[in-house]
């Protein structure tokens, strides 16, 4: 019981810590805007009936420069424009630009 209570307190404090960091420094492009950009890309390519947004994750990376972006994950991979590669999502950057995520 005491161990589970300690775990709960730790989880709660970490959650509040992350939430306060996001409130103090919110991303320039919010998740809703990133989803609209991704959905528009699907519609422009005419694949919105086969592919849809499954997950949206805010990523903060970069040792030398702060690179923050939304990673939009599709429900399924499909052939990318580059032969032999598969597209699995988009990266939407804080200036509104985006890049297709392929492997």
């Amino acid at each position: 019981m005491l161990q589970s209570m300690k775990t709960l307190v730790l989880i709660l404090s970490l959650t509040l810590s992350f939430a306060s960091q996001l409130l103090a420094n919110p991303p320039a492009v919010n998740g809703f805007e990133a989803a609209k950009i991704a959905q528009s890309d699907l519609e422009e390519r005419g694949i919105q009936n086969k592919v849809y947004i499954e997950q949206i994750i805010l990523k903060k990376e970069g040792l030398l420069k702060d690179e923050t972006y939304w990673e939009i994950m599709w429900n399924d991979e499909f052939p990318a424009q580059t032969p032999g590669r598969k597209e699995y999502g988009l990266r939407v950057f804080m200036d509104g630009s985006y890049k297709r995520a392929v492997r």
Side-chain angles (χ1 to χ4, degrees):
M1 171 93 171
L2 184 58
Q3 184 62 30
S4 63
M5 189 66 132
K6 286 181 181 179
T7 303
L8 181 62
V9 168
L10 177 63
I11 291 170
L12 183 59
S13 65
L14 286 173
T15 302
L16 290 174
S17 172
F18 289 129
S20 66
Q21 287 178 5
L22 283 175
L23 289 174
N25 192 14
V29 172
N30 67 39
F32 179 71
E33 292 167 332
K36 284 176 33 180
I37 290 168
Q39 187 63 36
S40 292
D41 180 67
L42 292 175
E43 290 170 4
E44 287 171 7
R45 295 191 280 167
I47 57 176
Q48 73 275 10
N49 294 327
K50 297 180 268 183
V51 179
Y52 57 86
I53 298 169
E54 184 172 77
Q55 191 174 52
I56 302 175
I57 306 165
L58 181 62
K59 298 273 191 154
K60 293 186 176 193
E61 296 181 354
L63 295 173
L64 300 176
K65 67 175 187 170
D66 180 31
E67 183 175 50
T68 302
Y69 60 90
W70 290 99
E71 186 167 67
I72 312 290
M73 307 295 289
W74 304 139
N75 64 306
D76 196 11
E77 295 180 344
F78 55 90
Q81 293 175 337
T82 305
R85 310 234 21 214
K86 299 275 187 182
E87 181 176 327
Y88 63 91
L90 286 183
R91 287 185 175 177
V92 178
F93 300 98
M94 293 302 116
D95 64 358
S97 66
Y98 64 92
K99 178 170 91 173
R100 294 189 176 116
V102 298
R103 45 175 138 233

